[in-house]
Amino acid sequence: MESLSVPTDAELTGLARLAADEVQRQKLMLVTAESCTGGWIAKVLTDLAGSSAWFDAGVVTYSYEAKESLLGVNPRTLEHDGAVSEETALEMVSGALARFGAGVAVAVTGIAGPSGGTAEKPVGTVWIGWKRRGGYAHARLYQFAGDREAVRRQTVAAALIGLRKTLTE
């Protein structure tokens, strides 16, 4: 687990540009699947001029039902592991790629707060998953500090950093 400093809007834009440049360089399309960030990753990416050339789709799924119907997350995964779990993040990112024509995907699921945390999964617990078409999905656990906005900002930053890393490794 790791935490990041809380990024500014300018820093998020810079991270989005770095990720977008790599997506474009590899001539890929990107899809996002978001829960706790509410579409913020898609927003910061599509704020970039020309994003329609490489941004395919963004899906925001808060409920179990939406995760199941829009991303193909298995109901048993949600029942057994919960929405905020490695398994759910992996199924979200894989489902996003399966449903859209993109070449790379990022998915986030977490507890931004201020409520919803438990002893096992406190506020700030976030799983982020990434996957390239034809590759294996991987996910990472983060524990972010701060209020709802701080947790969400750190999640967006980590998702973008991990996206670029997924594309360059």
Side-chain angles (χ1 to χ4, degrees), residues 108-166:
V108 298
T109 184
I111 305 165
S115 61
T118 66
E120 299 82 32
K121 296 178 185 178
V123 169
T125 302
V126 177
W127 278 97
I128 305 177
W130 303 271
K131 185 176 182 181
R132 290 184 67 130
R133 184 165 301 285
Y136 293 103
H138 61 283
R140 188 163 175 195
L141 174 62
Y142 295 84
Q143 186 62 55
F144 297 123
D147 63 11
R148 183 175 181 80
E149 169 126 350
V151 168
R152 294 174 78 194
R153 281 182 176 276
Q154 291 169 90
T155 301
V156 172
L160 293 168
I161 291 166
L163 174 62
R164 185 163 180 251
K165 187 175 179 185
T166 295

Side-chain angles (χ1 to χ4, degrees), residues 27-43:
K27 297 178 175 35
L28 297 173
M29 295 295 285
L30 168 68
V31 63
T32 62
E34 302 180 63
S35 186
C36 62
T37 48
W40 199 337
I41 299 166
K43 183 216 180 294

Side-chain angles (χ1 to χ4, degrees), residues 5 15 22 36 60 66 78 87 91-92 104 122 126 139 154 163:
S5 62
L15 291 171
E22 194 57 37
C36 62
V60 177
L78 293 167
E87 296 77 5
E91 289 186 25
M92 285 174 67
V104 64
V126 177
Q154 291 169 90
L163 174 62

